[in-house]
Amino acid sequence: MNNSETHTSLNFIEEIIEGDLATEKYDGRVHTRFPPEPNGYIHIGHAKSICLNFGIAQKYEGLTNLRFDDTNPATEETEYVEGIMNDVRWLGFDWENRLYYASDYFQELYDFAVELIKKGKAYVDDSTKEEIAEMRKTPTEPGVESPFRNRSEAMNLNLFERMKNGEFPDGSKVLRAKIDMASPNMHLRDPILYRIKQNPPHHRTGDAWCIYPMYDYAHCVSDAIEGITHSLCTLEFEVHRPLYDWILIELGTYRPQQIEFARLNISYMIMSKRKLRQLVEQNIVNGWDDPRMMTIAGLRRRGYTPASIRNFADRVGIAKRENVVDMALLEFCIREDLNKIAPRVMAVLDPLKVVLTNYPEGKTEEMEAINNPEDENSGTRIIPFSRELYIERSDFMENAPRKYFRLSVGKAVRLKNGYIIQCDEAIKDENGEITELRCSYIENSRSGSDTSGMKVKGTIHWVSIPHAIEAEARMYDRLFTVEDPDGYKKEGKTFLDFLNPDSLKVLPKIYVEPSLKGAKALTHLQFMRKGYFNVDPDSTDDKMVFNLTVPLRDSWAKKQGRK
Ligand code: ATP
Ligand code: MG
């Protein structure tokens, strides 16, 4: 978590901060904030912002506020507030007692707006949304001033108060800043500060207010009220910065410094709460925590760890230019972490029955297996071995080439933590499909005490049929088939046109070793030779469900012909 351990050089934000610390610009303080709008669950892009804001504060012994930017009652819900708090905590960050809501400042924001009116810097405009947009014109031609721009202070104060008192319907009036209708920066062409929204009630303030501040106004004032020093936001707000500064200068208050960084984009994924919500509401995915979603809730359910996500954010780094990060990097980070912590177990995803004809019926042996060779404290467990086993169908091949080191008639293979077996016969059904392998085991070849002297090249995994647990596996792949699902607007296509029909494949009958009985939801595992999996919360006493977190190797790159 400590940036300084992995980065020897400073990123550009740290450079700015160290410069400010050197000149005592903010009395040597560093105070950041993470300001989500509670209109959905947060995603990996937000995680980058969380790691940045909390990470910077940790590095410079500063503070970080969690502030809900809840200024739009139409889209915000308490469910999202709680979900976001849970996700930030899960990522490993603590705002302690610094939890704030922009809605806590509604009165102050209102009072400041009255001040702006009194200074002649804001006015009530009766124009419609469309008229306002029309009068703004385009960046290449100056805008037109609204006929309401030069209303008297008394009139503006009167109308603004009556807006607040609920006398006017939605859309009939707005409060606008009086800046410059000819500015080349469109955001300075008299931006809207307040709008009327009679309904629905606000998730915290209920019916107390029917006018709500716009983001640009609420954000800078909230930052100022909280004494934020460095207000870190994504690049698209760079053009809003003059407005951020204008408002605080006109109000004559303390002024934080807004610094913009590049938003995180990941290939084969969309990164917008609004669009993720569309996937949820149209039932394209199974909720916000669908393991195919790049929400924090989805990643957690998929089997990602907080450390892997923090590590990913750190590796991606902080840039000033937009870029797209390859999903393979995120997968690399989770493999790296799970390699250290996930116990290895045996599970057969596509079972083929093996009968060891020379092994006594009814006999069970207990095989000792190391839980995780990467972790010397992980201990061992017992795996039962018997006459009837399942192996992976893909570990047998008819008429195998000479260099095939798994099972084939006449060939031998080692069963991991078991015996060497040799295949004598493949039994087929009437369709020619292999239903069973007849094999013999080599008696003195038991792993750990092998005196057989036999050399076999291949080792395969297996489970004992009478002991195995039947379970379900959910195999996930990318949700979209193209790198940039949002990149086809010109062709008239949206991200919904590029859904991967194979993003979820359910294997209804897999067999896992009995040691997994009762494993708790979200337990991380490596199914040997297959991939990292975890226990899905849908698991019951009768049926365990496993999610594929990530395959052991990057098979996607191969499929794409990139490797
Ligand atoms: P979305 O469109 O997904 O809702 P947003 O920017 O509107 O994104 P907010 O809840 O307003 O979401 O964002 C909270 C904070 O997270 C902001 O500071 C924002 O800049 C940051 N953030 C959001 N998305 C990303 C991203 N993809 N990469 C980095 N930071 C992000
Ligand atoms: Mg937003």
Side-chain angles (χ1 to χ4, degrees), residues 41-319:
Y41 281 77
I42 53 174
H43 50 64
I44 185 128
H46 295 103
K48 172 172 168 176
S49 173
I50 292 166
C51 293
L52 175 65
N53 280 294
F54 282 91
I56 290 257
Q58 276 169 7
K59 178 164 180 178
Y60 297 104
E61 291 172 8
L63 302 170
T64 306
N65 294 356
L66 174 62
R67 181 201 314 142
F68 287 100
D69 194 1
D70 56 351
T71 52
N72 183 0
T75 54
E76 293 156 5
E77 287 174 31
T78 308
E79 177 201 341
Y80 298 139
V81 168
E82 274 155 21
I84 292 171
M85 289 202 278
N86 186 34
D87 290 346
V88 175
R89 259 192 229 107
W90 180 78
L91 279 171
F93 298 103
D94 187 359
W95 57 91
E96 291 168 358
N97 57 354
R98 284 180 300 281
L99 172 63
Y100 301 96
Y101 295 84
S103 55
D104 288 340
Y105 311 134
F106 280 168
Q107 185 62 47
E108 272 165 286
L109 285 159
Y110 178 82
D111 295 340
F112 279 134
V114 168
E115 269 182 52
L116 287 177
I117 294 175
K118 287 183 177 162
K119 282 187 76 180
K121 297 291 180 181
Y123 61 96
V124 173
D125 193 334
D126 299 359
S127 312
T128 64
K129 214 167 114 189
E130 292 74 24
E131 287 164 345
I132 290 175
E134 164 62 27
M135 286 185 283
R136 269 215 179 101
K137 300 291 180 194
T138 61
T140 50
E141 54 182 331
V144 176
E145 293 187 354
S146 162
F148 303 98
R149 195 174 200 257
N150 294 312
R151 275 177 160 157
S152 70
E153 177 192 324
M155 180 65 128
N156 279 320
L157 288 174
N158 173 281
L159 290 173
F160 188 49
E161 185 171 5
R162 288 168 60 198
M163 274 170 68
K164 180 189 75 159
N165 293 342
E167 290 185 31
F168 307 117
D170 288 12
S172 62
K173 285 181 170 44
V174 291
L175 184 74
R176 295 177 74 178
K178 194 170 183 175
I179 310 181
D180 179 5
M181 287 307 290
S183 173
N185 183 337
M186 299 298 282
H187 296 282
L188 294 180
R189 293 190 184 178
D190 291 10
I192 296 171
L193 302 180
Y194 266 93
R195 64 222 191 285
I196 302 171
K197 276 190 195 251
Q198 299 282 358
N199 281 302
H202 186 273
H203 78 119
R204 293 186 80 239
T205 59
D207 295 323
W209 295 87
C210 66
I211 55 170
Y212 291 94
M214 300 298 287
Y215 173 87
D216 279 324
Y217 176 61
H219 199 79
C220 59
V221 174
S222 303
D223 280 350
I225 291 171
E226 293 174 15
I228 299 303
T229 57
H230 300 86
S231 179
L232 313 179
C233 62
T234 39
L235 274 187
E236 68 272 23
F237 290 101
E238 191 168 8
V239 284
H240 298 238
R241 183 165 12 109
L243 178 56
Y244 184 106
D245 291 340
W246 182 91
I247 292 169
L248 297 181
I249 289 168
E250 289 302 335
L251 290 174
T253 65
Y254 164 84
R255 183 150 59 91
Q257 179 176 358
Q258 175 178 306
I259 304 170
E260 306 85 17
F261 64 95
R263 152 182 293 274
L264 171 68
N265 302 299
I266 299 189
S267 57
Y268 298 98
M269 198 24 81
I270 48 166
M271 209 65 81
S272 149
K273 280 194 242 98
R274 194 173 52 76
K275 289 174 188 159
L276 293 170
R277 183 160 53 180
Q278 237 176 302
L279 296 174
V280 173
E281 285 174 353
Q282 296 182 22
N283 291 318
I284 292 165
V285 296
N286 303 314
W288 283 99
D289 67 345
D290 187 301
R292 291 167 293 180
M293 299 263 276
M294 289 270 139
T295 51
I296 303 304
L299 289 166
R300 175 168 57 233
R301 185 163 177 185
R302 175 82 172 253
Y304 276 77
T305 58
S308 68
I309 296 174
R310 290 195 304 262
N311 187 242
F312 171 73
D314 199 33
R315 279 172 193 267
V316 165
I318 301 302

Side-chain angles (χ1 to χ4, degrees), residues 406-425:
R406 287 169 284 162
L407 215 49
S408 188
V409 174
K411 288 199 174 190
V413 76
R414 169 162 298 283
L415 297 176
K416 180 77 186 170
N417 304 309
Y419 289 94
I420 294 174
I421 62 168
Q422 180 173 311
C423 184
D424 305 316
E425 187 185 0

